[in-house]
Amino acid sequence: MKVVAVEEHASTEAFLRVAHGLDVLPGDELEMTSMRTVETAPGFRARLVDLGVRLREMDALGQDMAVLSLNPPGVQPYAAADAVPLAREFNDALAAIVRRHPARFGGLATVAPQDPAAAAAEIERAMGPLGLNGVMINSHTGGRYLDEPEFAPLLAAAQAHRAPIYLHPRVPSMLAAYRDHGLPGAIWGYQAEAGLHAMRLILSGTLDRYPGLTVVLGHLGEGIPYWLRRIDNRHAFAARTAGAATPMPRLSLTPSEYFRRNFVLTTSGIDDPDVLGLALRAVGEDNVMFAIDHPYEDPAAAMAFLRATPLSDQQRTAIAHRTAERVFGLAPPGVSAKDTGTPT
């Protein structure tokens, strides 16, 4: 069985050396103090930057390919003047990695939403000359979300260049309520933040303006599949009775229809057959992809889950590689992206 994992974080020594010397935007200090501590730890840093070790690990586990992305939260905690060139430099390095190992690595570009016009230009460059496979955005940027009007150039570029946006979690922008008890990170805050961002895209009417946009959510949908029936029910009630706390745009579809049309889910970090079954029923096998969340999760455990969880052959094939090949334009060995109908 061919296996492609699609939320696999990496970095370079050059990126870390520069980024760790930059001032952090107000409000992002807690997250970046924690992340810089992690990135400085020798064992963890090696797992981010040493691709030779990663390839040997992939070979040992039978993982064919990894779609690499910059370790979160990317360049988003930095001033635009620093973030824009830093994103370009990392994307150049990532594209070089993919060119050296085209059968083993794909790549998701990083962009600086702080400068939406520059981010749009970088999406065009990433999907064109650099030959990358999409873009990763680490949820909010300075507490701002992609449904807000200032980000229209970024979303327009993503749609125009068929760049799927992997909407990755980060520490919530509304930090005060999450500050204690380990809540800001992956225990709870990450999924709450990414789920909020996805729901803003749905309920704001953004996906009516950009119907061709593809948004990828990790962790089997950041909790949204569990709530879809209630979301539809309460949205219809609020629209019918004017019972929403804030004004609601008129939508062309129900919230769940946008979720099924525009979103693709990954298994990153949730090796639970019951949750996977719920996700499959919510969006279908052609909209679920395998991911490990390297280096934060155990690759061996994730691979064992993919192989052992009860699935039909068709479902397992779709999750293991077929959906990723379609969404990210990853050509099977010996086949060009053009031949598969995916964007080049």
Side-chain angles (χ1 to χ4, degrees):
M1 179 178 63
K2 182 181 180 182
V3 176
V4 178
V6 300
E7 188 186 323
E8 315 311 312
H9 302 301
S11 192
T12 65
E13 287 290 354
F15 177 88
L16 294 175
R17 186 165 53 250
V18 173
H20 284 204
L22 295 175
D23 292 333
V24 175
L25 294 175
D28 290 339
E29 298 92 345
L30 175 67
E31 180 175 21
M32 291 311 299
T33 297
S34 174
M35 185 54 69
R36 286 174 172 178
T37 299
V38 169
E39 290 174 337
T40 303
F44 190 92
R45 191 181 186 106
R47 288 176 64 77
L48 282 174
V49 304
D50 192 333
L51 295 180
V53 170
R54 186 173 305 203
L55 284 169
R56 290 192 290 274
E57 181 178 58
M58 289 166 60
D59 289 341
L61 293 172
Q63 178 190 340
D64 297 271
M65 194 172 195
V67 179
L68 302 177
S69 52
L70 178 60
N71 197 46
V75 301
Q76 289 166 240
Y78 307 120
D82 295 317
V84 170
L86 192 57
R88 287 179 60 91
E89 290 165 12
F90 178 78
N91 292 337
D92 287 341
L94 180 59
I97 290 167
V98 172
R99 285 194 299 270
R100 288 197 301 271
H101 305 280
R104 306 307 304 276
F105 295 129
L108 302 182
T110 192
V111 299
Q114 303 92 308
D115 186 333
E122 190 63 4
I123 289 171
E124 180 177 5
R125 191 175 79 99
M127 299 303 290
L130 293 188
L132 296 175
N133 306 100
V135 60
M136 178 169 280
I137 294 178
N138 298 282
S139 198
H140 71 89
T141 304
R144 308 301 297 273
Y145 292 86
L146 292 176
D147 62 282
E148 298 181 59
E150 67 197 79
F151 299 110
L154 188 161
L155 296 182
Q159 178 171 263
H161 299 287
R162 299 175 65 187
I165 294 176
Y166 201 124
L167 193 61
H168 190 276
R170 63 176 301 194
V171 168
S173 62
M174 299 176 291
L175 182 57
Y178 292 89
R179 189 175 293 275
D180 302 323
H181 318 307
L183 284 168
I187 295 172
W188 187 254
Y190 279 8
Q191 66 86 16
E193 168 63 34
L196 168 67
H197 201 149
M199 289 305 304
R200 288 183 65 107
L201 290 173
I202 292 170
L203 296 182
S204 63
T206 298
L207 299 176
D208 282 335
R209 295 189 292 276
Y210 304 100
L213 195 65
T214 296
V215 181
V216 181
L217 284 179
H219 316 107
L220 286 173
E222 310 293 6
I224 293 174
Y226 188 90
W227 285 88
L228 277 180
R229 185 182 294 271
R230 178 169 173 79
I231 290 167
D232 277 354
N233 176 283
R234 292 298 87 193
H235 182 267
F237 176 84
R240 188 170 62 248
T241 64
T246 58
M248 287 171 41
R250 184 179 297 275
L251 302 180
S252 299
L253 304 174
T254 65
S256 66
E257 286 172 329
Y258 292 108
F259 195 71
R260 294 184 175 97
R261 186 188 73 179
N262 292 94
F263 287 80
V264 182
L265 315 183
T266 84
T267 64
S268 58
I270 300 191
D271 298 341
D272 185 324
D274 292 328
V275 181
L276 176 57
L278 174 66
L280 288 168
R281 290 191 294 276
V283 299
E285 66 197 39
D286 290 330
N287 286 308
V288 179
M289 301 182 283
F290 176 66
I292 296 170
D293 200 359
H294 185 286
Y296 297 96
E297 298 287 348
D298 179 0
M303 289 289 291
F305 169 72
L306 176 63
R307 291 189 170 112
T309 196
L311 295 166
S312 70
D313 290 344
Q314 182 169 312
Q315 288 173 325
R316 203 179 315 276
T317 298
I319 294 168
H321 68 91
R322 192 180 67 218
T323 299
E325 288 167 350
R326 172 179 59 83
V327 171
F328 292 122
L330 304 169
V335 179
S336 72
K338 182 177 180 181
D339 291 335
T340 67
T342 53
T344 57

